[in-house]
Amino acid sequence: MYRPDEAGKQGASQPAREQRAPVERGSLLDLLSSDLHEAKSGADGSATDRPAEVQHQSRDIPKASPHPADLVPPVSRAAGAPRDSYFPGLSGLSRIGVDDIIGWLRDGLIWIVLALVLCVGAALAYAMTATPRYTVYTDIVVDPSNLNVVSDDVFTTNPQRDAQLLEVESKLRILTSRNVLSRVITQMRLTEDPEFVKPSAFSSLKNLFSTKAEQQAGNELAAMRALSERVEARREERSFVVVMKVWSEEPAKAVTLSDAIVAAFEQELFQSAAESAGRVAQSLNARLDELRHNVTESERAVEDFRRKNGLQSTNDGQLVSNQLSNELNTQVLDAQQRFIQADTRYRQMNDAITQGRTASASEFESVNMTNLREQYNVLQQQIASMQRTYGERHPRLVNARSERANLESAMADEARRILDRAKADMDREQQAFSALRAKASDEKSNVFSDNEAQVQLRDLERDARAKAAIYETHLARAQQITERQQIDTTNVRVISRALPPNARSWPPRTVVLVAGGGFLGTILGISLALALGLWRYIRRPQPLAP
């Protein structure tokens, strides 16, 4: 059986030169590699050659604490170099057991207790001094489709779901943008709130060398940074619901901040849409001046051309020359009809006079002719009666026949006067017909020239109408968009408003912090005790194997 005194005797019997062999000192890596090589060699060779009883006793050597004189540094079998004097226990790392670990924990109990106390105290101090945080949540439905107030709105709606999700993500980015946060800072005066603008040690000195504008800008920047760190928003998967999280040091202030951010978000969306519509209206108004000028020039060109060519239009859009030509044609037809009637009457009267039918012809119509015919008819009856009564040579019959001849002569004279008057009427109608026909012929040539000019006039009118239609469309659109600026069509709804929290979100409760500190202190203490025990183990010399 192996004993420490036998190891001492064996060590004493070795030659003095071998015991006093110089130790080659090199780098730490050389020492570690040498010791590990010796430990492997000892585990493969000498350890396997020794009996189990000797090996068991050798594992108990560190607990026996032999005399330093009996211990000899291990010698490397590979290179013949002495064992490292700094970490002589590296070769025995494989022999560490549960008893060694329990011993190290027992020896480092004071460190465990000290770490536990320190961590628990630190956790308790942090729980008592840490600034509390109160977090509130607000659920907002951000519909990508705006309200359809007008049929032809400025902004189009994309029905594709990917585009709608991109629209919601864009509005989600607006929710936490600087424009929205700036509105909240201005509305709630966060630049004057010490929670958001914390005074520094050199703030008073810095204010002496800076202007009021620079101080205000610095406070706004500090408030912006503080507020942006307290606001967070995310979109729920497979939905258009956005959850906004806001925390503050006071529960009521957290709720107020959340409501103010939502209101500023809605105002920002409305202002963004209004500014976009305003830019479109401004562009249209700038274009309207040019369109108005073009319409005026086109209409002036139409009127100048009409005046130059003497083209006059009626209420129904027809040229006066065409209407006058049509009326002249009608008058010519009427005059021709009257001339034909007058010529026919004249010819009939002339034939009646030639044939001696003056007394019976119906063409001779006048008051005097009617009286003469009545007298002639009465006288003719008297003559017939006297012929039957008195005979052919009776003086009264002779006188009656003389009166009849006078009446016939008077009727002939009256017929010639009526014939002359009919001839005068025929000549007058003929002259009127000729004049109207000549005038109609002249007007017809004017109509042809006016029709040729009207072709160019219609082209000018079409151009003027097209420009006027474009101008009226742009004018109506500009007025509609101007009114659209005053309408809020953003479809954003708050479905769950922020409520005051019952407890703080950070730091955790004191009990949780103390429990966590105790657990962390225990882990740190155990780790420290094990590390110190391992350090002492690898620094302690190891006995040589027999």
Side-chain angles (χ1 to χ4, degrees), residues 191-258:
T191 55
E192 302 174 3
D193 194 339
E195 179 181 348
F196 293 87
V197 182
K198 298 184 181 299
S200 59
F202 302 97
S203 58
S204 301
L205 182 61
K206 188 185 297 183
N207 294 335
L208 295 176
F209 299 96
S210 60
T211 62
K212 185 175 295 185
E214 293 176 350
Q215 296 176 11
Q216 182 67 20
N219 293 339
E220 290 180 358
L221 182 59
M224 178 67 69
R225 290 175 178 173
L227 183 58
S228 61
E229 294 175 355
R230 298 164 186 250
V231 179
E232 181 182 352
R234 59 180 177 83
R235 181 181 64 85
E236 296 290 340
E237 294 185 1
R238 305 179 65 83
S239 68
F240 296 147
V241 178
V242 174
V243 180
M244 183 183 64
K245 180 176 69 174
V246 182
W247 66 268
S248 178
E249 297 178 3
E250 299 177 3
K253 185 181 292 185
V255 175
T256 305
L257 280 174
S258 180

Side-chain angles (χ1 to χ4, degrees), residues 303-322:
E303 296 300 327
D304 292 342
F305 184 83
R306 192 190 301 274
R307 187 182 304 107
K308 180 180 178 180
N309 292 273
L311 301 177
Q312 297 180 358
S313 300
T314 59
N315 295 330
D316 55 355
Q318 186 180 5
L319 289 177
V320 175
S321 59
N322 292 335

Side-chain angles (χ1 to χ4, degrees), residues 526-543:
I526 291 174
S527 301
L528 182 59
L530 294 176
L532 292 176
L534 182 61
W535 174 261
R536 288 194 300 268
Y537 180 82
I538 63 176
R539 290 286 295 170
R540 185 170 55 193
Q542 300 293 326

